Amino acid sequence: MKKISVVVPMYYEESMVRPCHEKLTAVMQSLTSYTYELIFVNDGSQDATLSQLEAISLKDSCTKVISLSRNFGHQAAVTCGISYAAGDAVVIIDADLQDPPEVILDMIKLWESGYDVVYGKRQKRKGETFFKLITAKLFYRILNNLSDTNIPLDTGDFRLIDKKVAAVLVNLKEHNRFLRGLVPWCGFNQIPLVYERNPRLAGETKYPFKKMVKFAVDGIISFSSKPLRLIMKLGIFAIIIALFIFCYYSMALLTPNRVVFPALAWLIIIISFFGGVQLVSIGILGEYIGRMYDESKNRPLYIIDKTYNITTKKNIKKSSSIK
Ligand code: UDP
Ligand code: MG
């Protein structure tokens, strides 16, 4: 019998522990042809989250609990849960039931039909502030434009991944993790599943503005070196402006009435030219830094999905091989 693991990160979710466990258990038990496990990761909450999880784990053997030593953040907590998952597929879902657990059933159907990743795509987001809606919409669009990886729009962490994708993910050692980009980066057969996002059942968002900004910066910086290139482009633009003004007045010198360079023009030419040269120099440094950053992420050079007629495993350090 195949097994499904459900990973739930929890940070100050004491009001959600019981409803979340009940709802997920009901959904998972309706799947008679699968076994399941619920993996709750307490991400350093100091309220009753852990004690409640502990009480449930004593009664329910399908409930597994991991408690982190402090708050490491949502992405780290999810990664920890995935690394302990023993299922053939792993579902990631938030504790607040904003993502309806029934959708998991459809995700499993798509997985069974051959997809390795089924990601939830939010069609509507009920009960969110206007500010959150607009910033989220903008963020996904900017990220998608900047990034070299195709990161799906309006997609959160609610998704099902096959165990082979989970194995690749936990082996990616980078610290500022952005799973919404890392999963598409892994490749494999991915498909969206559209659903409506509900308001939070209880408690408050654990993503205040400051965390949201850090999350957005992680997403953009981990998946794009375009901001670094922008410096170079700005520099080149400034130099072109300087040269343009210089040429304009030089040509005017040749005309019969000989317009001389006004002092302001000299000032603009000198400032733009040397400003531009500095920006280009920073841009060149940026190119090197970008490359060093890429190397330091230590992502595998490639990921193998299947092999045919290959019996020996090639011993290349930076590759990740899955059969
Ligand atoms: N979360 C976590 N660690 C954190 C912040 C959040 O484990 O540092 C969990 C939180 O308990 C929830 C999920 O991540 O299960 C998503 O958080 P939330 O619902 O507050 O985010 P929002 O839906 O408002 O973006
Ligand atoms: Mg939420």
mmCIF file of all heavy atoms in Angstrom, residues 94 96 98 197 200, ligand 2:
data_model
loop_
_atom_site.group_PDB
_atom_site.id
_atom_site.type_symbol
_atom_site.label_atom_id
_atom_site.label_comp_id
_atom_site.label_asym_id
_atom_site.label_seq_id
_atom_site.Cartn_x
_atom_site.Cartn_y
_atom_site.Cartn_z
ATOM 1 N N ASP A 94 -0.316 24.414 5.002
ATOM 2 C CA ASP A 94 -0.209 25.296 6.166
ATOM 3 C C ASP A 94 -1.152 24.825 7.268
ATOM 4 O O ASP A 94 -2.148 24.152 6.994
ATOM 5 C CB ASP A 94 -0.592 26.734 5.778
ATOM 6 C CG ASP A 94 0.470 27.399 4.933
ATOM 7 O OD1 ASP A 94 1.555 26.802 4.783
ATOM 8 O OD2 ASP A 94 0.215 28.502 4.427
ATOM 9 N N ASP A 96 -3.138 26.650 9.060
ATOM 10 C CA ASP A 96 -4.346 27.459 9.282
ATOM 11 C C ASP A 96 -5.538 27.050 8.426
ATOM 12 O O ASP A 96 -6.582 27.681 8.463
ATOM 13 C CB ASP A 96 -4.028 28.940 9.057
ATOM 14 C CG ASP A 96 -3.412 29.182 7.674
ATOM 15 O OD1 ASP A 96 -3.396 28.236 6.867
ATOM 16 O OD2 ASP A 96 -2.952 30.308 7.434
ATOM 17 N N GLN A 98 -6.119 27.434 5.420
ATOM 18 C CA GLN A 98 -6.496 28.359 4.338
ATOM 19 C C GLN A 98 -6.587 27.584 3.029
ATOM 20 O O GLN A 98 -7.372 27.921 2.166
ATOM 21 C CB GLN A 98 -5.441 29.457 4.203
ATOM 22 C CG GLN A 98 -5.593 30.572 5.198
ATOM 23 C CD GLN A 98 -4.691 31.742 4.831
ATOM 24 O OE1 GLN A 98 -3.492 31.689 5.016
ATOM 25 N NE2 GLN A 98 -5.281 32.791 4.307
ATOM 26 N N ARG A 197 -8.689 29.815 -2.113
ATOM 27 C CA ARG A 197 -8.058 29.888 -0.791
ATOM 28 C C ARG A 197 -9.019 30.549 0.200
ATOM 29 O O ARG A 197 -9.607 31.582 -0.079
ATOM 30 C CB ARG A 197 -6.771 30.699 -0.878
ATOM 31 C CG ARG A 197 -5.878 30.409 0.302
ATOM 32 C CD ARG A 197 -4.487 30.929 0.077
ATOM 33 N NE ARG A 197 -3.549 30.194 0.919
ATOM 34 C CZ ARG A 197 -2.657 30.776 1.712
ATOM 35 N NH1 ARG A 197 -2.565 32.077 1.772
ATOM 36 N NH2 ARG A 197 -1.855 30.046 2.446
ATOM 37 N N ARG A 200 -8.055 32.499 7.048
ATOM 38 C CA ARG A 200 -7.472 31.751 8.159
ATOM 39 C C ARG A 200 -8.582 31.315 9.121
ATOM 40 O O ARG A 200 -9.461 32.117 9.441
ATOM 41 C CB ARG A 200 -6.529 32.683 8.905
ATOM 42 C CG ARG A 200 -5.320 32.007 9.429
ATOM 43 C CD ARG A 200 -4.392 33.028 10.036
ATOM 44 N NE ARG A 200 -3.008 32.581 9.889
ATOM 45 C CZ ARG A 200 -2.469 31.651 10.660
ATOM 46 N NH1 ARG A 200 -3.173 31.105 11.635
ATOM 47 N NH2 ARG A 200 -1.229 31.273 10.453
HETATM 48 MG MG MG B 2 -1.985 31.353 6.147
#
